[in-house]
Amino acid sequence: MESIERYKHLNNYLKEKFGERTLKICVDGGFTCPNRDGTIGINGCIFCSQRGSGDLINFTTSISKQITNYLSSYKSNRANKFIVYFQNFTNTYDTLENLKQKYDSALIDDRIVGLEIATRPDCITEDIVKLLKSYKDKYYVCVELGLQTSNDDIGIAINRGYTSKQFTEAVKLLNKYNIDVVAHIMVGLPEETFYDIKDTVSFINNHDIQGIKIHSTYVIKDTILADMYLDKNYEPVSLEYYLNCLSYIITHISPEIVIHRISGDAPKDLLIAPEWNSHKKWVLNGFDKLLREQDLWQGKFYKK
């Protein structure tokens, strides 16, 4: 079996960083989103579910209880170190006092070594970044920023509610305080072309970003995108096209960036399309095969 690591896998990066296998504990922090509470909009991004990308989390009202439930389950036997990951909705969208209380309530076990926060670029301020930096003395801290695409016209089409310029401003603030940034990009958005994928990769390479998550655009129940799909106004991309886009992204992205994901997991009971999204191994194995056969690796065609 081939031992070459053709792209910078998150699992290996964390193992090197912490000296052993390190897993994430996904937490529902009880947040909402300015794109849902009326501040910016009420419907959210067109692909976003009612749980705000947290469909796979077993929600309980207490953050501390979610942590203790995980650590007392069989899942915790797979590792000795963990990163708390505030995943769904906008996890910096609250008062500083409430944010600190929520983050603190998750950091309750000595096995927790990191804090990862998923949020929107327009919900990053200097005071929030200073709060996040205050955890760096004890924990690894990183922030996941939704970008999806660098094309602001597509951003409007997906009802993103912020601009690429706001993404840039958020990244600069996080860079200022040496907090790692993970950018979230999507393939197969409405109105997107392959040239948009290229532009998004170039856009990311022009920022000081430490990680990326790459997802296909999938259709789940009770979303605006589902209505578009059922009305034949949107068609998901094929697996072959997705793998080709993945190969472009990986070969043109900076070799220093950690690849957190190359596939998104839609809950099978909510997934409408594409059917191949429910077969994660098709993506992982298909991509590995493509890289091997074409002798590709991360950053092969990267230019500063």
Side-chain angles (χ1 to χ4, degrees), residues 35 74 78 97 99 129 136 141 155 172 187 193 240 258 283 287 298:
N35 204 9
Y74 72 93
R78 298 177 296 158
E97 181 182 9
L99 290 176
V129 177
K136 283 196 66 179
V141 178
K172 286 179 179 178
V187 172
T193 69
E240 180 183 15
V258 180
V283 178
F287 189 50
Q298 183 176 344

Side-chain angles (χ1 to χ4, degrees), residues 46-292:
I46 64 171
F47 50 76
C48 190
S49 72
Q50 297 302 311
R51 291 295 310 281
S53 302
D55 301 284
L56 298 176
I57 303 175
N58 293 320
F59 176 73
T60 60
T61 54
S62 166
I63 293 171
S64 296
K65 186 67 174 173
Q66 291 177 65
I67 300 297
T68 55
N69 284 348
Y70 181 95
L71 292 175
S72 61
S73 73
Y74 72 93
K75 294 179 182 178
S76 68
N77 296 328
R78 298 177 296 158
N80 296 311
K81 293 182 179 179
F82 302 92
I83 294 172
V84 170
Y85 175 34
F86 282 85
Q87 181 179 9
N88 51 320
F89 290 121
T90 306
N91 295 276
T92 57
Y93 187 50
D94 210 332
T95 64
L96 287 172
E97 181 182 9
N98 286 345
L99 290 176
K100 187 176 189 314
Q101 186 275 324
K102 289 183 176 185
Y103 301 156
D104 288 350
S105 67
L107 303 172
I108 56 172
D109 191 284
D110 290 340
R111 289 171 286 180
I112 295 171
V113 296
L115 175 65
E116 183 166 350
I117 306 294
T119 189
R120 296 165 54 93
D122 55 344
C123 292
I124 290 289
T125 66
E126 187 145 17
D127 284 341
I128 287 171
V129 177
K130 285 179 179 177
L131 171 63
L132 293 171
K133 186 181 184 299
S134 71
Y135 291 98
K136 283 196 66 179
D137 289 342
K138 188 174 180 182
Y139 301 98
Y140 167 68
V141 178
C142 72
V143 171
E144 179 183 326
L145 290 178
L147 173 64
Q148 325 316 349
T149 176
S150 63
N151 185 323
D152 283 339
D153 290 333
I154 297 175
I156 292 170
I158 63 175
N159 199 39
R160 187 174 64 178
Y162 54 83
T163 64
S164 296
K165 181 181 178 183
Q166 286 173 294
F167 177 90
T168 298
E169 291 167 350
V171 171
K172 286 179 179 178
L173 262 181
L174 292 160
N175 290 162
K176 179 179 176 181
Y177 291 90
N178 296 312
I179 294 173
D180 280 3
V181 179
V182 180
H184 185 178
I185 63 176
M186 295 176 70
V187 172
L189 294 166
E191 302 181 16
E192 180 187 82
T193 69
F194 188 68
Y195 294 103
D196 295 312
I197 299 292
K198 290 183 175 182
D199 288 344
T200 298
V201 171
S202 296
F203 181 80
I204 287 175
N205 281 333
N206 284 326
H207 291 72
D208 185 3
I209 284 172
Q210 288 66 50
I212 59 168
K213 279 188 173 181
I214 313 162
H215 287 200
S216 63
T217 304
Y218 51 75
V219 183
I220 57 176
K221 295 177 181 177
D222 300 321
T223 61
I224 297 170
L225 191 62
D227 294 336
M228 292 171 62
Y229 173 75
L230 295 172
D231 290 338
K232 302 190 183 305
N233 292 320
Y234 172 74
E235 183 65 32
V237 297
S238 67
L239 176 58
E240 180 183 15
Y241 178 80
Y242 183 65
L243 293 177
N244 286 334
C245 288
L246 264 184
S247 69
Y248 180 89
I249 294 167
I250 293 298
T251 56
H252 289 78
I253 205 75
S254 166
E256 300 303 314
I257 290 177
V258 180
I259 311 302
H260 285 234
R261 269 185 173 232
I262 62 166
S263 175
D265 298 322
K268 291 186 178 181
D269 61 327
L270 296 179
L271 179 68
I272 296 176
E275 195 272 338
W276 60 260
N277 180 267
S278 62
H279 302 280
K280 190 171 184 177
K281 286 187 176 180
W282 291 3
V283 178
L284 300 179
N285 295 342
F287 189 50
D288 285 344
K289 182 171 181 284
L290 186 154
L291 294 180
R292 288 197 309 272

